[in-house]
Amino acid sequence: LAPWIPVVGLEIHAQISSNSKLFSGSQVQFAAPPNSLVSFFDASLPGTLPVLNRRCVEAAVMTGLALNCSINKKSLFDRKHYFYADLPAGYQITQQRVPIAVNGSLSYSLCIDNKMSQMVTKTVRIKQIQLEQDSGKSLHDDSRCQTLVDLNRAGVGLMEVVMEPDMCCGEEAAAAVRELQLILQTLGSSQAVMAEGQLRVDANVSVHHPGEPYGVRTEVKNINSIRFLAKAVDYEIQRQIEELENGGTILNETRAFDSKLGCTVPMRDKEGKQDYRFMPEPNLPPLILYDAKSLPANMNHQQVINIDWIHERLPDLPSVKREKLVEQYGILPEHSFTLLNEDGLAEFFESVVKQTQMKPKRVIGWILNDVLSYLKQHSLTVKESPVSSFVLADLLNLLEKKEISSTAAKQVLAELWKGEGKTPLDIVKEQKLELLQDQKELEQICQAVIDGHENEVIMMVLG
Amino acid sequence: AALNDGLRSQVSAALKEGRVTPTELCQRCLALIKSTKFLNAYITVAEETALKQAEESEKRYKRGQPLGILDGIPIAVKDNFNTAGIETTCASNMLKGYISPYNATVVQKLLDHGAVLLGKTNLDEFAMGSGSTDGVFGPVRNPWSYSKQYKEKSVPRSHSEDEESNWVITGGSSGGSAAAVSSFTCFAALGSDTGGSTRNPAAHCGVVGLKPTYGLISRHGLIPLVNSMDVPGILTRCVDDAAVLLGSLAGHDPKDSTTIQDEFKPFELPNLTDVSKLSIGIPKEYHAPGLSSEIVALWSKAADLFKNAGAKVVEVSLPHTRYSIVCYHVLCTAEVASNMARFDGLEYGHRSDMKDSTESMYAATRREGFNDVVRGRILSGNYFLLKQNYEKYFVKAQKVRRLIANDFVKVFRSGVDVLLTPTTLSDAAPYMEFIQEDNRTRSAQDDILTQAANMAGLPAISVPTALSERGLPVGLQFIGRSFQEKQLLTVAKWFEKQVQFPVIQLEEVKRHDNGVFQHQKSASFS
């Protein structure tokens, strides 16, 4: 059988982290009472007009720069029309013709094997980033034959990030999204928490034989976590391969991922292709962005966005942070990935290193093996850790000064997790874990043991 | 004060000096509204709130602290502007009973200046039409139908014919506002203008109709027809009053991203005496098919008036004029289809009882809520926006629009200050005749002289010029350069003074105001 090449592209919607919505002043807040964050514009009251939120534009520019995109100095807004209960105006304002950023790239890393011992770097092209409105939420109450509509989310700003089909499996898709998530969180442009709907991923999957054109692709939706993303993509690849090998065809359809069953199923709602009747949004002039060169001298600074100014103020991206950690502390690249992957862990590590004489290369083992595994076991975040960096540093100092053994240190740590407020020294004293440093005393103890076990000694001397 | 006095020159002084009070003005207007009810100019009369506003205004005048010229002045507003607490219907079943929670910016500005909001005026449904005949509250009747001037010229009829059936339309779609101003039930009214909807009824009703430059006055709160062409329109009895209204309404609105940022400085109109430095352009393409010989003659006379006074009058060409109807039709219906998508019965307005599914509820709501005209335009517009048609129609029309706008740029660049054209093809048609053709046909015919200004975003004003042979008003239009309203209105004011358009002689008005006919002048221009 000829080999199959799976092709995976992603459409990611990241909710912009801002106080108010993309085109109106109502608040952005998760889990507020239904329809409590709805302005006249959000409710599509006749006569209301969109007013662009500056913060949202800045977030998109930051994200575009972080993803190596060209920022379009002039971008346009369009209306995308369709009828749905969660779309009050009957159209979504988006950027179909000329989006705010194009032609970027995202680098991400994968482990070759399962042991995190060898990492390989891959790149996925970013086709574009566009600003658009989020829709409201509708809940279908079939028992009462009604639909409940909550418009709190209607109009919240989204960045749609389109990743080209450069990925080949669930693992790559997951890694790429994870890296994007970290970047967004570092920038602050989106909190990107999938569980809160701040990051939504749709996967486009197809398979083909080498040398042949790309196969028909399906779109997979309803993916609620990065773990499920990998599962959904891999399942769909497998499904398509099996279908084709059995002589079937792939439909260009939208499928939903069922996390309980671990498979994708066709989605009911789509009947035929939608014509969105795109039209320029007449109430919003073209969005003009400036850089240091093009910025007119007498412009009101409140009214303009300077791309270079934003570029200068970008924080260190995850990839840079990792490089710095590796360089500064001599840890392995894999270690730097784990440190950044866990919210607050890198800061915790650096804090410990500052407070202890133990070499970072040794500290990292404690962080990754002992601290992290405990936190994971008990579903705690770094912030919630009962053992602070100060306390851990204290313990490691005892170890470093050889006042306790490595085994003893692990015992003390186990006790520290109880969070009873005792210091490592307190526990060492309590459990009499001090290492004897006195040579004479040690000799006496050893002699006593040997004296007390004459027969065993003779056996050992005889071989 | 008489009901036809200029705001700045007479009414304001009278109010300040206490010769008349805001309450008296308000009551007089309300009474006149009642006695002219047969005109059907008003959809909603906000009597209680108006009297309260008048009362507040009166207090301010007594303290010697009026808010300005508009303080205490009764105003009417077309029913497609949002007014908080007062029904806004757009003359449609879709919004019957709809009470908006906010004021349109222009409404708020009027209220902030102390104006008294008498009520909401009638229109074609959702401002689609050129007759003010296609709203759910019925057609608006032109006050001139009942004027002495019109009745005198009417062919004597047999007893069997009802006088009622001979009434003429106001034009549209801001017919209610035009009729309200024309019949003295208010001092000024807001209309809207997308293809001529303020200027057309102004011409037919013998009042001044100003379409400002696009981007000068905020559209926030104006229920849109075509977002890229709509402007709030101003209807008054004299050009000076239009300048007063403009002064209180123009300026940047952060809520409307299409308003210009530049600061607007309200102005007073000078009394122009020397027109020798003026260059008037006569676009030859505006000699449109169907233009009545009467109006051609009037137009020619007006050009001569300028020439004899020393102005330079030149024939100019706007070569793409003949494509404007088709171009307008494509762009207008496309935006209409989009703008009307929000009317689904879910959040506000009419909701059908159909419950089978969301789709069926939407479909039934929209069928029940919209009239045929609206639905026809939605269907056309959606057709033009289909992926396979978009380039052919919408994009093509945008390109033609650019050409039309460039025609004006070229002409103004060649030294012409202001263009002079007719506003309408003829005087107002009798209602029975008007409804013989459908809305689409009528709109296509009637918009020809006015819509290019909307396509190009230019300011334009219709000034009542003379009475036709039938005793009905005819107006002529001036089109100016972008944001040069001061120049445009100055020229219009000069022209107004020259033509001395006669005051309407209405029984009802006569009864309510003894002063009206003191200033009556015979028609000197026709």
Side-chain angles (χ1 to χ4, degrees):
Chain A
L1 285 168
W4 289 100
I5 302 181
V7 171
V8 181
L10 299 174
E11 269 164 35
I12 300 158
H13 288 90
Q15 232 181 43
I16 297 174
S17 174
S18 60
N19 289 328
S20 55
K21 297 184 179 179
L22 183 55
F23 295 116
S24 69
S26 42
Q27 228 195 321
V28 179
Q29 200 189 308
F30 183 66
N35 294 311
S36 60
L37 305 170
V38 185
S39 68
F40 298 152
F41 174 78
D42 303 333
S44 80
L45 293 196
T48 53
L49 299 168
V51 180
L52 185 55
N53 179 332
R54 186 206 173 100
R55 158 67 190 164
C56 292
V57 178
E58 288 171 348
V61 172
M62 275 197 286
T63 306
L65 291 170
L67 294 177
N68 306 307
C69 296
S70 309
I71 307 295
N72 281 326
K73 292 224 193 70
K74 177 174 167 181
S75 62
L76 306 170
F77 289 101
D78 304 287
R79 292 184 182 180
K80 177 181 181 182
H81 301 86
Y82 62 94
F83 287 104
Y84 206 71
D86 62 16
L87 196 66
Y91 59 84
Q92 174 201 38
I93 302 178
T94 177
Q95 293 189 298
Q96 188 244 4
R97 289 169 292 157
V98 185
I100 191 168
V102 291
N103 297 338
S105 67
L106 169 68
S107 291
Y108 60 96
S109 292
L110 290 176
C111 311
I112 296 269
D113 57 34
N114 283 332
K115 293 183 209 152
M116 286 284 279
S117 57
Q118 237 189 313
M119 305 209 80
V120 63
T121 302
K122 298 222 164 192
T123 308
V124 58
R125 290 166 298 156
I126 305 291
K127 178 166 186 233
Q128 65 187 54
I129 300 175
Q130 66 202 53
L131 281 168
E132 59 186 36
Q133 294 174 302
D134 207 346
S135 64
K137 282 203 188 126
S138 56
L139 305 162
H140 301 287
D141 182 355
D142 289 322
S143 59
R144 290 202 199 94
C145 289
Q146 59 184 12
T147 302
L148 307 169
V149 181
D150 176 13
L151 296 179
N152 281 350
R153 203 184 65 180
V156 171
L158 294 176
M159 293 177 287
E160 179 176 326
V161 180
V162 182
M163 290 188 183
E164 299 277 26
D166 297 340
M167 295 160 283
C168 71
C169 61
E171 197 190 358
E172 285 190 3
V177 171
R178 179 68 187 122
E179 188 65 8
L180 176 66
Q181 197 178 36
L182 286 174
I183 291 174
L184 293 171
Q185 287 167 350
T186 302
L187 293 172
S189 58
S190 171
Q191 284 162 25
V193 175
M194 276 183 92
E196 289 183 9
Q198 293 160 341
L199 193 70
R200 287 165 240 157
V201 183
D202 298 333
N204 293 314
V205 179
S206 73
V207 297
H208 65 277
H209 288 305
E212 284 179 15
Y214 280 18
V216 174
R217 68 156 195 247
T218 61
E219 189 188 17
V220 182
K221 284 170 133 32
N222 197 41
I223 299 166
N224 298 326
S225 74
I226 294 186
R227 207 166 53 88
F228 286 151
L229 170 63
K231 280 202 162 137
V233 167
D234 288 335
Y235 174 86
E236 182 59 19
I237 291 171
Q238 214 36 56
R239 184 192 76 84
Q240 290 194 10
I241 291 175
E242 276 168 26
E243 183 70 34
L244 290 170
E245 285 184 346
N246 288 332
T249 51
I250 304 301
L251 296 170
N252 175 214
E253 59 176 351
T254 303
R255 300 174 72 88
F257 179 65
D258 184 324
S259 51
K260 289 205 192 86
L261 299 174
C263 65
T264 64
V265 293
M267 278 177 82
R268 281 178 306 136
D269 266 30
K270 303 273 169 168
E271 347 114 8
K273 278 247 177 94
Q274 280 259 32
D275 192 324
Y276 292 112
R277 290 161 281 128
F278 286 99
M279 183 186 94
E281 168 55 69
N283 292 316
L284 292 169
L287 175 59
I288 309 289
L289 303 175
Y290 298 91
D291 55 23
K293 247 190 261 171
S294 64
L295 191 64
N298 55 347
M299 269 277 189
N300 179 1
H301 280 273
Q302 295 287 81
Q303 291 295 319
V304 298
I305 287 184
N306 183 341
I307 300 169
D308 289 336
W309 193 89
I310 294 178
H311 206 154
E312 283 158 23
R313 282 156 187 75
L314 286 180
D316 276 346
L317 294 181
S319 52
V320 172
K321 277 194 203 167
R322 285 184 208 115
E323 272 172 30
K324 283 189 176 170
L325 285 171
V326 169
E327 216 190 278
Q328 199 176 347
Y329 301 111
I331 58 177
L332 295 174
E334 304 89 87
H335 295 161
S336 71
F337 268 89
T338 315
L339 280 182
L340 252 54
N341 242 10
E342 196 61 39
D343 195 24
L345 193 61
E347 289 77 19
F348 189 90
F349 166 70
E350 289 190 282
S351 177
V352 171
V353 164
K354 267 206 199 90
Q355 300 173 83
T356 178
Q357 298 101 326
M358 184 184 280
K359 289 240 159 38
K361 272 189 188 164
R362 272 191 82 190
V363 175
I364 192 74
W366 285 90
I367 300 290
L368 296 183
N369 299 330
D370 299 88
V371 174
L372 188 57
S373 57
Y374 180 87
L375 292 175
K376 286 276 176 234
Q377 259 174 38
H378 295 83
S379 297
L380 294 169
T381 63
V382 172
K383 280 196 187 75
E384 295 164 339
S385 171
V387 175
S388 69
S389 60
F390 173 76
V391 168
L392 182 62
D394 211 8
L395 173 64
L396 296 180
N397 281 339
L398 291 177
L399 180 57
E400 188 69 8
K401 284 186 272 181
K402 296 201 198 321
E403 286 182 35
I404 55 175
S405 71
S406 177
T407 325
K410 288 204 198 280
Q411 228 175 298
V412 174
L413 186 54
E415 187 68 26
L416 283 172
W417 284 125
K418 291 187 190 154
E420 286 166 359
K422 298 186 196 156
T423 69
L425 201 54
D426 291 339
I427 300 171
V428 163
K429 290 213 171 92
E430 257 177 46
Q431 300 190 13
K432 297 201 179 23
L433 295 169
E434 307 93 323
L435 277 180
L436 287 177
Q437 310 274 24
D438 192 328
Q439 185 78 7
K440 251 194 172 174
E441 218 184 321
L442 281 168
E443 278 179 12
Q444 278 179 355
I445 294 174
C446 290
Q447 193 62 53
V449 171
I450 293 173
D451 291 344
H453 295 84
E454 272 187 28
N455 291 332
E456 288 81 349
V457 171
I458 292 167
M459 299 287 269
M460 285 189 76
V461 167
L462 289 178
Chain B
L3 285 168
N4 72 331
D5 290 342
L7 289 172
R8 197 196 305 273
S9 56
Q10 278 138 339
V11 184
S12 188
L15 283 168
K16 278 200 202 134
E17 289 159 26
R19 284 185 274 125
V20 71
T21 67
T23 308
E24 278 166 7
L25 278 183
C26 183
Q27 282 167 340
R28 242 190 272 175
C29 287
L30 289 170
L32 198 49
I33 291 174
K34 286 200 181 90
S35 59
T36 55
K37 212 160 174 202
F38 54 89
L39 294 177
N40 202 20
Y42 287 81
I43 293 175
T44 303
V45 180
E47 185 162 336
E48 246 185 75
T49 52
L51 286 168
K52 268 204 203 96
Q53 285 161 7
E55 201 185 304
E56 291 300 311
S57 171
E58 205 159 308
K59 286 187 195 151
R60 289 191 290 268
Y61 275 103
K62 285 212 175 94
R63 285 200 306 266
Q65 291 170 336
L67 295 167
I69 298 177
L70 287 179
D71 202 336
I73 303 296
I75 308 260
V77 170
K78 187 175 180 182
D79 207 12
N80 59 353
F81 286 92
N82 279 273
T83 45
I86 298 172
E87 204 173 328
T88 300
T89 69
C90 293
S92 174
N93 277 322
M94 191 60 90
L95 289 177
K96 246 191 195 162
Y98 174 68
I99 309 247
S100 170
Y102 75 100
N103 279 325
T105 296
V106 288
V107 170
Q108 191 59 53
K109 284 191 171 190
L110 288 175
L111 294 174
D112 289 344
H113 279 87
V116 171
L117 181 49
L118 291 173
K120 310 296 288 298
T121 58
N122 204 349
L123 60 156
D124 284 302
E125 181 162 337
F126 279 109
M128 297 185 207
S130 59
S132 303
T133 53
D134 284 330
V136 291
F137 298 104
V140 184
R141 300 186 181 198
N142 192 327
W144 284 84
S145 313
Y146 303 94
S147 68
K148 191 167 170 203
Q149 290 105 324
Y150 178 62
K151 288 190 212 173
E152 271 172 2
K153 298 288 180 80
S154 292
V155 177
R157 288 176 304 282
S158 62
H159 287 294
S160 56
E161 256 186 44
D162 188 6
E163 189 189 54
E164 284 289 289
S165 66
N166 208 28
W167 58 270
V168 300
I169 58 165
T170 52
S173 62
S174 312
S177 283
V181 174
S182 170
S183 59
F184 292 87
T185 60
C186 61
F187 280 80
L190 288 185
S192 65
D193 197 311
T194 306
S197 289
T198 289
R199 293 160 285 156
N200 175 295
H204 285 318
C205 293
V207 298
V208 171
L210 170 63
K211 174 212 167 295
T213 311
Y214 183 89
L216 184 61
I217 298 187
S218 171
R219 290 182 298 112
H220 168 77
L222 166 60
I223 297 175
L225 179 58
V226 183
N227 286 292
S228 64
M229 298 188 207
D230 291 349
V231 292
I234 293 169
L235 295 130
T236 55
R237 285 193 285 274
C238 66
V239 176
D240 236 359
D241 289 355
V244 172
L245 265 286
L246 184 68
S248 68
L249 297 177
H252 176 64
D253 183 8
K255 296 194 186 115
D256 178 353
S257 306
T258 60
T259 54
I260 53 160
Q261 307 270 351
D262 304 17
E263 199 200 324
F264 175 80
K265 293 197 186 85
F267 50 78
E268 262 189 60
L269 294 175
N271 276 311
L272 195 62
T273 45
D274 175 21
V275 296
S276 59
K277 296 196 185 71
L278 212 55
S279 171
I280 307 289
I282 310 289
K284 63 182 187 198
E285 291 84 2
Y286 277 60
H287 202 310
L291 189 59
S292 79
S293 47
E294 223 181 3
I295 295 194
V296 172
L298 227 46
W299 187 16
S300 183
K301 258 192 148 166
D304 288 342
L305 195 69
F306 278 100
K307 209 183 294 175
N308 296 338
K312 185 170 165 213
V313 179
V314 288
E315 188 189 72
V316 296
S317 174
L318 299 169
H320 296 92
T321 302
R322 63 197 170 111
Y323 303 117
S324 62
I325 294 266
V326 170
C327 176
Y328 177 74
H329 178 75
V330 171
L331 297 177
C332 172
T333 53
E335 285 212 37
V336 163
S338 178
N339 289 332
M340 297 295 143
R342 66 185 58 211
F343 295 104
D344 51 25
L346 206 54
E347 301 87 11
Y348 48 81
H350 172 67
R351 186 197 281 204
S352 169
D353 289 330
M354 167 66 71
K355 280 190 181 50
D356 292 353
S357 68
T358 309
E359 280 85 10
S360 63
M361 190 271 270
Y362 275 25
T365 294
R366 290 161 72 78
R367 185 185 59 243
E368 292 162 16
F370 292 139
N371 71 3
D372 282 355
V373 178
V374 177
R375 284 156 64 212
R377 293 200 193 187
I378 291 172
L379 287 170
S380 302
N382 277 327
Y383 176 79
F384 296 134
L385 290 177
L386 288 176
K387 203 168 176 181
Q388 76 241 35
N389 293 332
Y390 184 71
E391 285 287 322
K392 268 193 293 185
Y393 292 99
F394 188 87
V395 176
K396 242 321 171 11
Q398 290 283 41
K399 290 180 181 175
V400 174
R401 181 177 179 179
R402 171 69 59 196
L403 293 175
I404 292 170
N406 283 345
D407 280 356
F408 285 99
V409 170
K410 284 193 198 126
V411 162
F412 284 126
R413 213 174 269 163
S414 74
V416 166
D417 296 308
V418 154
L419 298 168
L420 169 62
T421 80
T423 311
T424 56
L425 294 174
S426 65
D427 57 5
Y431 174 73
M432 297 307 278
E433 195 185 295
F434 184 79
I435 56 172
Q436 296 298 314
E437 298 277 10
D438 64 69
N439 183 297
R440 159 111 176 77
T441 308
R442 287 295 183 205
S443 296
Q445 292 165 346
D446 299 332
D447 287 346
I448 182 99
L449 300 167
T450 47
Q451 62 171 231
N454 296 87
M455 299 264 252
L458 296 172
I461 184 169
S462 179
V463 180
T465 305
L467 293 182
S468 69
E469 271 171 28
R470 288 161 68 216
L472 294 171
V474 170
L476 289 178
Q477 171 179 241
F478 295 93
I479 305 175
R481 298 164 191 247
S482 263
F483 301 106
Q484 300 304 312
E485 270 79 355
K486 186 169 180 187
Q487 179 181 60
L488 177 68
L489 290 170
T490 300
V491 173
K493 181 174 172 178
W494 181 87
F495 182 73
E496 175 187 62
K497 194 162 177 202
Q498 306 306 309
V499 301
Q500 301 274 293
F501 183 80
V503 178
I504 187 175
Q505 293 174 38
L506 266 182
E507 265 308 307
E508 289 73 13
V509 176
K510 201 171 170 184
R511 263 184 257 132
H512 284 271
D513 185 304
N514 294 329
V516 168
F517 300 111
Q518 286 171 9
H519 309 279
Q520 177 190 336
K521 295 234 172 14
S522 56
S524 67
F525 196 61
S526 57

